Amino acid sequence: MLSKRIRTMTPSATNVLFAKVAQLREAGEDIISFNVGEPDFQTPIEVRDECKKALDAGKTKYAPVSGITPLKEAICEKFLKDNRIEYEKDQICISTGGKQAVYNAVMAVCDPGDEILLPTPCWVSYVEMIKLAQGIPVLIPPGEDYQLDFHALKNRITKKTKAIMINTPNNPTGVCYTKEALLELGKLAVEHDFYIISDEVYEKLVYDNNRHICIAGLSKEIYDRSIIINGFSKSHAMTGWRIGYTAASKEISRGIAALQGHITSNSTTFVQWAALEGLKTCDDSVEYMRKEFEKRRDFIYEAMNQISGIHCTKPEGAIVKQSKIQTNMFICDTMCL
Ligand SMILES: Cc1ncc(COP(=O)(O)O)c(C=O)c1O
């Protein structure tokens, strides 16, 4: 019989729907899928070319578990340039997708019975990852405009609170947490001594005058307690390449690498070389895709609000959005714009 751990796990609703869409398409149905957060752009040519070069150059062997040094250094440079945060290369662990990076982070800090705060609505995999780590997901209802509700949050902090998992820009709401909210959250984490696992895979997809704020940059104490997740799937249209990373204290990073060393080892070696090229040369492609997503967001936002009975809040970021029917019923569709 399957383990209790697996039996109590709910399969990823996103993956179930993804399979259903594929099945319907194969049967000849014309489907517009609003399901997975997958850019419909091709991976930038520079990344694809570098991957071919890396393969031809024999970069097909095992690499260090936490990643190749040039990529870790480029990620440190990215943090400095984009977020004004200093990381050293041994604070970075490159993983097989942002998904593995999130799971690594949860496993690194969560003991059985630990409580992990989870603002909702949230990405489908968080709850299951916490359960797999034998932690207890503590769901926090959203505040106004889907920002953090500090009243609800404070009420749920206990002695067992080990971490909070946040996601900004947010899937599924499209909200970007404000600097003030992140600062208040950081102060709570310092006061009650819990970790902040911050999933920032949609960092590059912010619209209008919104600016992504990485919580680790707000103070030294907050930095020490933060585990930042990021990746290439959403920013560089590299969903199928499976590459993401964590940035954390050296202690946590060592733990993450130790765990990963027993599970997947290094993220695919030639993919790491290709991702490095993405960081070095693809800012224009990333910006081009962002602008396209913004245009589509504007289009669908206006179109949806013209439908009688539907009120739709304007997503500030991410490639997803949520809509609310005026009768207070939720449609929690995530919609690839
Ligand atoms: C909020 C969030 N975090 C992480 C991921 C995982 O991304 P990756 O493809 O890098 O594993 C996704 C993918 O949909 C996501 O929506």
Side-chain angles (χ1 to χ4, degrees):
M1 193 199 264
L2 284 172
S3 68
K4 205 167 151 204
R5 184 178 289 120
I6 300 299
R7 278 183 285 134
T8 53
M9 189 180 71
T10 312
S12 161
T14 321
N15 290 347
V16 172
L17 267 177
F18 187 73
K20 182 76 189 165
V21 167
Q23 188 197 358
L24 288 170
R25 280 189 180 138
E26 265 170 34
E29 302 283 349
D30 187 12
I31 303 281
I32 299 171
S33 170
F34 292 136
N35 179 29
V36 288
E38 177 158 54
D40 56 336
F41 299 100
Q42 174 61 291
T43 305
I45 182 80
E46 296 86 344
V47 174
R48 286 180 277 143
D49 282 347
E50 191 58 32
C51 182
K52 291 173 201 162
K53 273 196 230 154
L55 279 167
D56 290 342
K59 289 175 175 160
T60 52
K61 308 287 183 197
Y62 289 130
V65 168
S66 61
I68 57 170
T69 300
L71 181 57
K72 292 206 283 184
E73 286 172 346
I75 289 169
C76 294
E77 276 168 33
K78 177 225 109 55
F79 273 112
L80 205 54
K81 179 167 71 96
D82 295 349
N83 316 102
R84 299 210 198 109
I85 304 177
E86 273 184 42
Y87 281 108
E88 292 175 27
K89 62 179 185 309
D90 48 0
Q91 291 180 270
I92 309 294
C93 181
I94 296 154
S95 303
T96 308
K99 201 173 230 179
Q100 188 190 18
V102 178
Y103 185 62
N104 283 348
V106 175
M107 286 293 283
V109 298
C110 182
D111 280 315
D114 280 348
E115 292 174 2
I116 312 284
L117 304 172
L118 207 45
T120 59
C122 63
W123 185 46
V124 289
S125 294
Y126 294 152
V127 169
E128 302 309 318
M129 288 181 183
I130 295 168
K131 278 163 45 188
L132 284 171
Q134 294 183 290
I136 300 165
V138 179
L139 306 184
I140 317 280
E144 202 179 331
D145 289 335
Y146 302 109
Q147 286 284 337
L148 295 169
D149 178 343
F150 282 97
H151 179 69
L153 198 59
K154 285 177 190 165
N155 276 340
R156 285 164 179 81
I157 296 175
T158 71
K159 288 203 161 47
K160 288 188 178 170
T161 304
K162 192 62 175 289
I164 184 166
M165 287 178 76
I166 57 167
N167 173 215
T168 181
N170 187 274
N171 173 5
T173 65
V175 152
C176 298
Y177 292 148
T178 61
K179 185 173 178 184
E180 293 70 31
L182 291 171
L183 202 52
E184 192 170 347
L185 173 64
K187 284 184 186 153
L188 278 179
V190 174
E191 189 188 334
H192 296 276
D193 193 20
F194 58 77
Y195 289 103
I196 303 158
I197 300 174
S198 181
D199 180 347
E200 305 184 5
V201 296
Y202 292 103
E203 166 177 23
K204 293 291 175 189
L205 301 178
V206 286
Y207 312 123
D208 308 320
N209 296 323
N210 290 294
R211 203 165 60 85
H212 172 72
I213 313 272
C214 176
I215 193 165
L218 297 182
S219 80
K220 168 81 174 80
E221 290 92 340
I222 299 173
Y223 174 91
D224 289 341
R225 283 170 179 76
S226 299
I227 308 176
I228 308 299
I229 318 290
N230 212 324
F232 294 83
S233 287
K234 319 294 178 178
S235 55
H236 291 74
M238 289 177 67
T239 46
W241 299 65
R242 312 309 305 130
I243 182 159
Y245 55 89
T246 44
S249 70
K250 291 186 184 179
E251 185 199 9
I252 296 282
S253 292
R254 270 196 302 276
I256 285 175
L259 169 72
Q260 186 167 292
H262 285 299
I263 299 178
T264 53
S265 287
N266 62 277
S267 158
T268 306
T269 307
F270 47 85
V271 168
Q272 293 192 50
W273 288 99
L276 173 61
E277 190 63 23
L279 277 185
K280 283 197 320 208
T281 62
C282 293
D283 285 1
D284 287 350
S285 306
V286 170
E287 177 58 9
Y288 169 79
M289 291 188 272
R290 189 200 68 78
K291 281 192 178 142
E292 281 300 310
F293 283 128
E294 186 165 27
K295 273 191 227 159
R296 298 177 194 182
R297 179 212 54 169
D298 290 345
F299 172 81
I300 205 159
Y301 169 71
E302 274 176 32
M304 284 200 64
N305 276 323
Q306 280 167 15
I307 303 172
S308 157
I310 300 263
H311 167 71
C312 173
T313 50
K314 198 169 194 178
E316 299 164 331
I319 45 174
V320 291
K321 108 185 203 163
Q322 196 188 51
S323 42
K324 201 165 141 192
I325 290 191
Q326 273 166 351
T327 55
N328 283 340
M329 278 169 58
F330 255 164
I331 323 179
C332 242
D333 306 356
T334 57
M335 307 212 310
C336 301
L337 296 178

